[in-house]
Amino acid sequence: MADPDVELLAAALRRDSADLNLYARVLTENLADSLPPGAVRVGRRRSVADRLAGRAGTVAELHVALGDQRLALRTDRGRVTGEILHEVRGIVLSRRPVALDEWIDLMARSLADAAASNARARAAVERFLT
């Protein structure tokens, strides 16, 4: 990864990599301009207390669709695990578990590619980095 923008973005994504709730918020709110509409899907786990209090619950999984590739993060017994899925027309053709560092690098590269081709996406990534 020689591109300094990608390295900065990856470093920013690594800051709180174990907190899936934070990742969901960053990707759905702060970087929404750099991703196509509906690209980020958040799955939540709601306890009875969450339901009674009207809370959304905690984030259990996060899916980011980038073309025919989908990046997924899940919590598994308190650990965050990554997965890369190859998907065509809604059908998953392959799944590959990856380490969190590899997931972050791929996400940073994909966001940087989106920012390179779209001025609005570039502005969103720059806001995230500052």
Side-chain angles (χ1 to χ4, degrees):
M1 226 188 321
D3 189 356
D5 287 342
V6 173
E7 291 176 7
L8 281 174
L9 192 52
L13 287 169
R14 277 190 183 89
R15 272 190 294 231
D16 291 307
S17 59
D19 188 348
L20 199 54
N21 285 304
L22 178 65
Y23 260 56
R25 192 178 80 237
V26 165
L27 291 173
T28 56
E29 295 173 8
N30 300 348
L31 295 176
D33 288 341
S34 64
L35 298 171
V40 178
R41 192 177 79 227
V42 178
R44 296 184 180 273
R45 192 173 296 128
R46 292 178 69 196
S47 67
V48 172
D50 289 331
R51 289 186 183 107
L52 291 174
R55 292 187 299 248
T58 59
V59 175
E61 59 184 11
L62 176 68
H63 292 265
V64 181
L66 303 163
D68 63 349
Q69 183 169 279
R70 188 162 30 117
L71 303 174
L73 282 181
R74 291 185 180 87
T75 56
D76 183 29
R77 297 182 190 110
R79 287 188 33 199
V80 177
T81 58
E83 190 174 45
I84 298 173
L85 299 93
H86 180 73
E87 183 177 78
V88 176
R89 295 185 192 117
I91 299 171
V92 176
L93 300 177
S94 67
R95 296 175 179 267
R96 182 171 59 100
V98 295
L100 191 55
D101 279 343
E102 184 179 347
W103 191 94
I104 290 169
D105 289 340
L106 186 56
M107 175 59 77
R109 170 70 55 203
S110 298
L111 290 172
D113 289 347
S117 63
N118 182 333
R120 204 168 125 198
R122 178 81 177 159
V125 169
E126 287 174 355
R127 277 194 315 271
F128 174 67
L129 291 175
T130 57

